[in-house]
């Protein structure tokens, strides 16, 4: 379990390693800013979500503690307000976002209602348990790079190492110690592959119900396009896609390929004003000394984080 003292010690390490109080944890020269600013990264959002739900603890926590179905848009905004603020906020904003997330997780505890994978019915779960936090963090890192490389020039091996080095600092905002993470990119990919094959991940009835609500559109009122469902199935480990009931046959392959052809043709040529998420553009305005971003960026922020500026 992650104690309050452990968490604050982790934040101390972030404070010491941060690039600059104004630039924040990473700054504009980082690979984290270069990758995470891209709206295209959200092509992997479905993959990351389902990989997280495949951990029975995460599925139970979302089912029993989240307002995902009652307020799916608000849930989206609250989540990305925190994560984007960690990445693009000032040092103080990033640390405050980490603390908000830790406090929110502290109240997420419970008992598994059904057995799933290696976890027995009646066993306890907690959102602030290190192995669960490590898995959630891993799904965000791996999915971001996979989808970045789908539509933009792929990162080199050395860039992947750099991205992972920065991701370990990002993990510290969750309270995860360096010692609890794979030391390099190769070890990280070994970890995710091992997890995908292990019985730590098992799609529980709760996970399937949440996924079906989201991908059918009943939770949001917006039906997920067929090509996006196909892409999500393609990016998932085959076993997990099958357990979630996602099909990927010839029809799905054609639908995904058509969509990716158009995205790859158009997206790289869009101006950064359209490609980059609002919080990245707000961060650039902050570095130029502006007290607040312009009207267009504030509008984009409302789209991405549900408010005109990061907290």
């Amino acid at each position: 379990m992650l104690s309050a003292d452990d968490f604050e010690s982790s934040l101390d390490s972030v404070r010491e390693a941060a690039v600059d109080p104004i630039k924040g944890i990473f700054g504009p020269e980082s690979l984290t800013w270069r990758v995470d600013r891209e709206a295209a990264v959200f092509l992997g959002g479905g993959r990351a979500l389902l990989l997280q739900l495949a951990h029975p603890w995460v599925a139970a926590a979302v089912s029993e503690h989240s307002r995902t179905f009652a307020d799916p848009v608000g849930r989206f905004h609250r989540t990305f307000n925190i994560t984007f603020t960690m990445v693009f906020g000032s040092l103080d904003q990033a640390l405050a976002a980490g603390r908000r997330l830790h406090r929110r997780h502290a109240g997420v505890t419970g008992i598994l209602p059904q057995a799933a994978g290696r976890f027995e019915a009646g066993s306890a779960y907690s959102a602030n348990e290190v192995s669960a936090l490590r898995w959630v963090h891993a799904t965000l890192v791996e999915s971001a790079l996979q989808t970045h490389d789908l539509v933009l020039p792929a990162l080199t091996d050395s860039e992947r190492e750099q991205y992972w080095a920065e991701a370990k600092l990002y993990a510290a905002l969750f309270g995860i110690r360096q010692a609890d993470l794979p030391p390099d990119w190769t070890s990280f990919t070994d970890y995710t592959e091992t997890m995908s094959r292990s019985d730590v991940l098992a799609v529980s009835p709760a996970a399937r119900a949440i996924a079906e609500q989201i991908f059918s559109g009943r939770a949001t009122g917006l039906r997920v396009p067929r090509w996006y469902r196909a892409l999500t199935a393609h990016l998932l480990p085959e076993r997990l896609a099958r357990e979630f009931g996602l099909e990927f046959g010839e029809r799905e392959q054609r639908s995904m390929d058509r969509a990716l052809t158009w995205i790859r043709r158009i997206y790289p040529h869009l101006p950064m004003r359209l490609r980059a998420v609002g919080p990245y553009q707000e961060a650039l305005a902050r570095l130029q000394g502006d007290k607040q971003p312009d009207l267009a960026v504030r509008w984009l922020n409302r789209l991405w984080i549900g408010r005109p500026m990061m907290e």
Side-chain angles (χ1 to χ4, degrees):
M1 288 295 298
L2 179 66
S3 71
D5 288 342
D6 290 338
F7 177 71
E8 287 300 325
S9 176
S10 187
L11 291 193
D12 287 341
S13 69
V14 173
R15 191 178 291 105
E16 293 170 3
V19 171
D20 180 88
I22 303 300
K23 292 179 179 179
I25 308 299
F26 306 105
E29 303 304 317
S30 67
L31 270 171
T32 298
W33 276 33
R34 176 177 143 192
V35 171
D36 292 10
R37 71 187 178 184
E38 298 286 350
V41 167
F42 281 81
L43 291 172
R47 176 190 189 270
L49 172 64
L50 294 189
L51 283 176
Q52 291 170 22
L53 290 174
H55 194 303
W57 286 8
V58 176
V62 172
S63 178
E64 296 177 3
H65 295 271
S66 173
R67 297 179 59 203
T68 297
F69 299 143
D71 183 21
V73 175
R75 165 75 176 184
F76 174 92
H77 285 153
R78 288 188 294 274
T79 297
F80 287 102
N81 181 38
I82 286 179
T83 55
F84 279 143
T85 302
M86 287 177 171
V87 171
F88 299 116
S90 67
L91 175 58
D92 285 345
Q93 285 178 314
L95 295 175
R99 288 191 176 96
R100 288 198 301 276
L101 183 63
H102 179 71
R103 288 195 299 269
R104 184 178 299 172
H105 281 168
V108 179
T109 60
I111 302 296
L112 283 184
Q114 294 175 295
R118 69 172 57 175
F119 303 104
E120 298 179 356
S123 59
Y125 68 82
S126 170
N128 270 337
E129 197 276 336
V130 173
S131 67
L133 289 171
R134 181 171 56 227
W135 176 242
V136 170
H137 171 261
T139 67
L140 298 175
V141 172
E142 188 181 46
S143 298
L145 285 195
Q146 278 199 8
T147 47
H148 173 275
D149 291 358
L150 274 177
V151 297
L152 294 167
L155 299 188
T156 65
D157 289 344
S158 62
E159 287 174 329
R160 288 173 185 275
E161 289 290 356
Q162 181 183 337
Y163 189 82
W164 174 242
E166 294 172 7
K168 289 193 287 185
L169 188 57
Y170 176 49
L173 288 168
F174 289 74
I176 306 170
R177 301 178 305 166
Q178 297 276 312
D180 292 321
L181 291 166
D184 52 37
W185 178 257
T186 300
S187 301
F188 171 70
T189 58
D190 288 344
Y191 160 72
T192 58
E193 289 172 5
T194 299
M195 283 287 290
S196 295
R197 294 191 299 268
S198 77
D199 61 355
V200 175
L201 302 185
V203 179
S204 65
R208 279 191 294 272
I210 296 166
E212 199 277 331
Q213 286 270 0
I214 292 172
F215 279 85
S216 69
R218 288 201 295 273
T220 62
L222 299 171
R223 187 172 180 82
V224 175
R226 176 181 296 170
W227 68 264
Y228 190 87
R229 289 174 60 94
L231 176 62
T232 300
H234 174 68
L235 293 175
L236 281 172
E238 185 177 348
R239 170 179 75 92
L240 296 178
R242 185 171 59 252
E243 290 183 20
F244 274 112
L246 293 177
E247 298 180 357
F248 191 78
E250 292 184 4
R251 185 174 70 168
E252 288 77 20
Q253 178 82 58
R254 289 194 299 270
S255 179
M256 180 190 76
D257 288 345
R258 284 195 299 268
L260 286 179
T261 295
W262 282 104
I263 293 170
R264 288 166 175 158
R265 185 176 299 169
I266 296 170
Y267 183 83
H269 302 290
L270 293 175
M272 192 55 66
R273 188 74 161 170
L274 296 177
R275 274 172 48 180
V277 298
Y280 167 76
Q281 298 190 50
E282 178 186 338
L284 293 183
R286 182 179 73 245
L287 298 186
Q288 294 170 359
D290 297 338
K291 292 185 177 180
Q292 66 176 17
D294 64 29
L295 184 61
V297 174
R298 296 201 300 275
W299 182 87
L300 276 175
N301 273 344
R302 289 190 182 279
L303 173 67
W304 290 107
I305 62 175
R307 49 185 295 122
M309 295 177 64
M310 292 180 285
E311 289 186 77

